[in-house]
Amino acid sequence: MEQSTINLLSRYMPILKRYQSQFSSLNTLLGKTTLTGKISSLDIAENLFDYMEETQEKFENLQEKLINTIMNQSFLNRYEEAQTSMQIANDVLRDYFQKSLEDVSVFISSRRVFEISSRIVPNEFETATELISCMENFMSSASGYKDILLYSNDGRLIQSLKYNATPKTSCVDVINTDSIESYECFYKRVDFYKQDGSNEFYFVAPIRIAREQSPLVVIVFVLNLEARFKELSEQFPYHFAHSRLLVVDSKNSILLSDSTKSFSVGHSINFIVNKDYSFAEYKSKVYMVASKNIDSKIDFVSHWSVCRIVPLQSVFDIKKEEKNEIESYLLDLETSLLITEELDEVIVDSENINEELGDVVINGEIIASKRHSYALNPILNNIRILSEEMNGLCLELATSIQKSNYETLFNIVRYYSKYSIVSVNELLAESLLSTMWITNAIEFRNSLVEKHETNEIQANTINELESLLARLKDSYSLYHDVLLFDKNGEVIGNSNNDSSHVGEKVALDSLRHHSGSFVVSNFESTSLYGNKNTIIIYCMIQDKQALLGGVAYVFNSELLQDMLCSIFHKESQIFSSKSEVFSVVFDNTKTIIASTNSDFSFEVYGLEDIDLKNFKNFRKFIQVGNKHYLICGETSNENEVYTEHTKKKLFSLVFVAVKEDKVDIMEVENRENIVGLVDVQNN
């Protein structure tokens, strides 16, 4: 750790002063005992007490290492918690921006939008009714938008879907769109609404028939960025009350804050960037900072940083730490699978010093006995007591560090468990809601109407259908395949352009009697996904209550696997290379939806009778073979989109191997020999 970082942290760690004081007292007593021994023993045991002086120097070095270890580990534990929280928020915002890009791209490239827009007459706003209806359908199926606005090309408001917008905007991005080919996004202070101008994140999409023409109308998609940021702050609350989550720009100006009272939007933060870690000063307080730029395809967003900041004044206050009972068997360093190298070293040094002092006592007693000089005995007794106290203090400090490691582990794994369930839920919800908008594509309806009326589809209609399916393949990674089927359930075309599926039948029974917008299959094996498990979302297309057919969306369930794999940090100050970390997401029938451990089963891990009714904040230690695991679990809410449409709740479990008992090879061989002997006798 850099010296400037050590100097800063030492002012905020009360536990350091306590241990420094105790070590100083022991060191002073050891020095006095050595001096007294030299004086009392005269030349009887002079070499012995010279050896003690060397041991005292080693103890001085050890106490310095121990103090540095507790400083390093205490800081790294708190930093890893902050980093985990920050990384989750970073990932959520990255995915939010990416999804918005995909949504707007698909909307703008929609043939239906193009055909409707071509019928708009400039300055005759009533001719935009169909486009407004299309915008409403899009907004009802796409989450994350504050509003969608429709303007004339001179900035006059035609329609605001959500709010009472101003009749005319002077926003140059809306009025001058010559440089915008398809759409662009911005984050600026605007005058869209009647209150004082505020910063909004928005996409501007000019709708024109040809690139060289002026736009007929301009659509503005306003993201509900503040609401999404507030939601993720509430989804993943931090355990230190005065900690804050922020988004800052490249100039360190606050763009988003989970507490505008404490950290006002628009204010700047002074960051103290050391070589190893960063800190921040704000309103005379110093904060630990975990931050990272958002990995976004939007250029200006990629210069934004998500920051989790925690006040140093309270971060190391042990009175505020959550206290959990840690069983003593988990604190065995020799069998631990967590990172303990630094602690291992100081424990070995402590044991060596204890042995050396023990040698002093034994040799002193031998010398005293041979010389019949019993003046040494009280001194040797003091050395024995000091040795025990020194060793006890070192072990107490090591235990304190290990318990702190486990407290951090509990917090981190709880975040992972919550993030697993939230991420899977949101991905499944997105895959369901997106179908509502996509199914409205005119190419689907035209193809089914022709098939219904003439039992065949015209060549130009097929070309349009194939073009749509190709765009869906490029734009939506959510779906492995999108298939259009007729009223008899026979597949007409698919986005994978796989002719082997054409003519294949999909299930229609549940669709015929279903009044909702879509039906979701069970998570099960299907030939449409290479005989692997996934869900299929079926959407009906009707004409005057008559079923024309529908669209089947084969969910790309490998995305869930990839998502779970990406959740865990690749670099950790707690998990060692030996730590086995994996997660499992399943429903209330214990059907596994996704897992980063392909060999997982409830039976192998002794969880076949797990109580799903009392699963909120689930946590326990289990033993499987010679490995001990910490497992944490979370469950979805009743109002989640996936649960609402499937009547199945989702659950997540995160496993961390924390300890591996050593196997006695001789005992195993003896057991195998006994088993072999029994088999021979039985035969």
Side-chain angles (χ1 to χ4, degrees):
M1 189 176 283
E2 199 178 63
Q3 190 58 47
S4 56
T5 301
I6 292 172
N7 295 340
L8 177 62
L9 294 178
S10 59
R11 301 200 298 267
Y12 295 94
M13 287 189 177
I15 193 171
L16 287 184
K17 293 175 184 175
R18 180 166 72 84
Y19 279 113
Q20 281 172 333
S21 174
Q22 288 177 282
F23 278 123
S24 178
S25 297
L26 286 173
N27 202 35
T28 301
L29 285 171
L30 191 59
K32 286 180 178 178
T33 302
T34 303
L35 182 61
T36 305
K38 275 192 165 186
I39 295 169
S40 301
S41 64
L42 299 176
D43 62 343
I44 296 173
E46 188 176 350
N47 291 339
L48 191 67
F49 287 102
D50 286 342
Y51 179 65
M52 258 198 78
E53 282 184 332
E54 293 175 14
T55 303
Q56 185 180 357
E57 287 178 17
K58 290 179 183 178
F59 180 63
E60 287 174 357
N61 293 333
L62 173 64
Q63 68 185 68
E64 187 178 338
K65 282 175 75 174
L66 278 165
I67 293 299
N68 287 340
T69 298
I70 198 168
M71 177 186 284
N72 286 342
Q73 201 59 54
S74 297
F75 174 76
L76 290 174
N77 284 349
R78 293 293 173 254
Y79 182 78
E80 181 131 353
E81 291 171 0
Q83 189 179 40
T84 302
S85 167
M86 174 277 297
Q87 187 61 58
I88 287 172
N90 197 304
D91 289 350
V92 169
L93 289 176
R94 176 202 65 201
D95 294 344
Y96 175 64
F97 290 126
Q98 181 58 31
K99 180 182 181 300
S100 302
L101 276 173
E102 290 178 357
D103 285 344
V104 172
S105 173
V106 170
F107 183 92
I108 297 305
S109 63
S110 164
R111 182 172 179 80
R112 185 170 181 231
V113 169
F114 179 81
E115 288 186 357
I116 289 171
S117 301
S118 66
R119 295 194 285 271
I120 295 175
V121 179
N123 299 318
E124 295 183 19
F125 297 159
E126 65 275 8
T127 60
T129 305
E130 278 188 282
L131 180 58
I132 292 169
S133 176
C134 200
M135 289 161 49
E136 289 171 339
N137 287 335
F138 172 79
M139 191 160 184
S140 67
S141 62
S143 59
Y145 294 91
K146 177 179 179 178
D147 200 358
I148 302 180
L149 305 161
L150 186 63
Y151 289 101
S152 63
N153 61 8
D154 60 355
R156 285 174 293 161
L157 179 70
I158 300 172
Q159 184 71 42
S160 169
L161 296 189
K162 276 282 185 118
Y163 293 95
N164 189 15
T166 52
K168 195 174 191 316
T169 180
S170 58
C171 177
V172 68
D173 305 319
V174 176
I175 297 170
N176 183 10
T177 59
D178 291 344
S179 62
I180 301 176
E181 186 171 340
S182 178
Y183 64 89
E184 278 190 27
C185 55
F186 306 90
Y187 183 75
K188 292 181 181 178
R189 188 174 295 277
V190 293
D191 61 353
F192 295 157
Y193 304 105
K194 290 187 176 178
Q195 67 267 29
D196 292 337
S198 58
N199 285 330
E200 299 286 0
F201 194 112
Y202 57 96
F203 293 85
V204 174
I207 305 299
R208 50 170 76 89
I209 303 303
R211 178 66 184 89
E212 63 277 4
Q213 292 181 349
S214 297
L216 299 167
V217 288
V218 178
I219 304 177
V220 176
F221 302 82
V222 185
L223 292 191
N224 208 347
L225 182 55
E226 287 185 6
R228 185 66 189 100
F229 186 76
K230 182 175 183 291
E231 182 185 25
L232 80 87
S233 302
E234 293 169 351
Q235 282 177 322
F236 305 101
Y238 203 67
H239 61 286
F240 276 109
H242 299 294
S243 168
R244 291 290 164 248
L245 186 67
L246 309 172
V247 174
V248 300
D249 63 17
S250 57
K251 296 179 180 177
N252 299 331
S253 180
I254 299 172
L255 303 176
L256 297 166
S257 168
D258 66 352
S259 174
T260 51
K261 267 188 182 179
S262 306
F263 289 84
S264 304
V265 171
H267 285 206
S268 292
I269 295 183
N270 177 32
F271 285 101
I272 307 164
V273 182
N274 293 341
K275 287 181 181 177
D276 46 6
Y277 300 101
S278 295
F279 300 88
E281 277 186 324
Y282 189 77
K283 294 182 179 178
S284 304
K285 286 186 179 179
V286 181
Y287 296 82
M288 175 180 74
V289 178
S291 68
K292 186 181 177 184
N293 283 12
I294 300 172
D295 182 17
S296 175
K297 292 179 181 178
I298 302 171
D299 183 59
F300 65 85
V301 173
S302 67
H303 297 287
W304 293 1
S305 296
V306 178
C307 307
R308 167 61 70 185
I309 64 172
V310 190
L312 289 179
Q313 199 165 15
S314 60
V315 72
F316 302 115
D317 189 348
I318 57 174
K319 294 176 185 176
K320 295 182 180 179
E321 279 189 5
E322 186 181 347
K323 298 298 179 185
N324 293 281
E325 194 65 36
I326 312 295
E327 296 287 346
S328 58
Y329 76 91
L330 293 167
L331 303 177
D332 179 13
L333 284 171
E334 196 175 350
T335 57
S336 176
L337 294 176
L338 304 179
I339 290 178
T340 59
E341 282 85 350
E342 197 172 353
L343 202 52
D344 290 340
E345 288 178 16
V346 294
I347 291 298
V348 168
D349 289 349
S350 171
E351 289 172 349
N352 289 339
I353 288 171
N354 194 42
E355 284 180 14
E356 288 180 12
L357 289 175
D359 290 343
V360 168
V361 172
I362 292 169
N363 290 329
E365 287 174 342
I366 292 170
I367 292 170
S369 176
K370 284 182 177 179
R371 302 288 183 91
H372 303 288
S373 175
Y374 300 104
L376 275 178
N377 286 348
I379 297 168
L380 295 174
N381 195 45
N382 282 345
I383 294 171
R384 186 184 290 108
I385 293 169
L386 275 173
S387 175
E388 289 173 358
E389 288 183 0
M390 287 158 60
N391 192 51
L393 183 59
C394 291
L395 288 175
E396 178 195 323
L397 191 149
T399 301
S400 171
I401 291 173
Q402 284 179 277
K403 287 185 175 180
S404 176
N405 288 350
Y406 270 101
E407 294 295 345
T408 297
L409 186 65
F410 291 151
N411 289 329
I412 289 172
V413 177
R414 188 164 51 201
Y415 276 126
Y416 284 153
S417 182
K418 179 72 174 176
Y419 188 32
S420 296
I421 201 71
V422 168
S423 299
V424 170
N425 252 318
E426 289 186 350
L427 191 62
L428 289 171
E430 182 186 341
S431 70
L432 299 181
L433 293 174
S434 295
T435 63
M436 297 167 63
W437 156 250
I438 300 170
T439 305
N440 286 325
I442 195 69
E443 293 92 333
F444 287 148
R445 178 168 291 275
N446 288 345
S447 299
L448 291 178
V449 167
E450 287 186 13
K451 183 76 187 294
H452 180 72
E453 292 177 350
T454 67
N455 204 32
E456 61 180 41
I457 306 173
Q458 299 297 317
N460 64 322
T461 307
I462 291 175
N463 290 337
E464 290 172 0
L465 173 63
E466 289 176 347
S467 176
L468 168 65
L469 290 169
R471 290 200 306 275
L472 292 176
K473 182 71 176 174
D474 292 339
S475 302
Y476 279 94
S477 58
L478 283 170
Y479 309 114
H480 166 74
D481 203 358
V482 179
L483 306 100
L484 181 67
F485 58 89
D486 64 16
K487 62 183 178 181
N488 299 314
E490 288 187 3
V491 174
I492 296 171
N494 60 88
S495 61
N496 280 345
N497 198 23
D498 185 349
S499 59
S500 67
H501 289 316
V502 175
E504 188 174 337
K505 284 209 170 190
V506 299
L508 268 181
D509 291 343
S510 56
L511 277 173
R512 295 185 190 281
H513 307 291
H514 189 76
S515 57
S517 53
F518 51 76
V519 176
V520 184
S521 75
N522 291 325
F523 189 84
E524 58 193 10
S525 172
T526 171
S527 62
L528 299 177
Y529 195 56
N531 295 317
K532 294 182 292 185
N533 286 355
T534 192
I535 61 170
I536 300 177
I537 307 140
Y538 299 97
C539 297
M540 295 178 292
I541 297 177
Q542 294 178 314
D543 183 35
K544 298 175 183 177
Q545 303 304 312
L547 180 64
L548 297 176
V551 187
Y553 299 85
V554 182
F555 179 65
N556 184 5
S557 59
E558 287 182 9
L559 289 177
L560 297 176
Q561 192 93 347
D562 294 342
M563 177 182 285
L564 290 184
C565 287
S566 69
I567 284 173
F568 305 113
H569 288 174
K570 299 297 180 286
E571 295 180 5
S572 170
Q573 302 296 336
I574 292 183
F575 303 138
S576 73
S577 58
K578 297 176 183 176
S579 301
E580 182 188 354
V581 185
F582 67 91
S583 61
V584 181
V585 175
F586 55 97
D587 65 22
N588 46 290
T589 66
K590 294 202 179 87
T591 298
I592 296 172
I593 306 295
S595 173
T596 57
N597 179 355
S598 58
D599 297 326
F600 174 81
S601 75
F602 289 97
E603 292 75 22
V604 168
Y605 286 82
L607 298 171
E608 59 267 37
D609 297 323
I610 192 168
D611 183 8
L612 299 182
K613 291 180 181 176
N614 300 298
F615 202 76
K616 198 75 176 172
N617 296 321
F618 175 85
R619 187 181 75 199
K620 71 183 295 187
F621 286 95
I622 63 169
Q623 183 173 356
V624 180
N626 62 327
K627 276 191 178 179
H628 299 261
Y629 293 85
L630 165 67
I631 56 174
C632 290
E634 267 297 342
T635 181
S636 60
N637 298 321
E638 296 287 351
N639 59 352
E640 298 286 357
V641 172
Y642 182 79
T643 301
E644 180 187 342
H645 288 278
T646 63
K647 310 305 177 191
K648 291 176 182 175
K649 289 187 72 174
L650 292 179
F651 302 83
S652 71
L653 281 173
V654 174
F655 294 70
V656 180
V658 295
K659 182 179 187 294
E660 185 171 18
D661 296 332
K662 289 192 173 181
V663 178
D664 189 328
I665 302 298
M666 291 296 293
E667 186 181 332
V668 171
E669 287 178 353
N670 289 337
R671 194 181 305 126
E672 288 175 350
N673 290 335
I674 291 168
V675 171
L677 181 61
V678 170
D679 288 342
V680 169
Q681 289 175 346
N682 288 340
N683 290 332

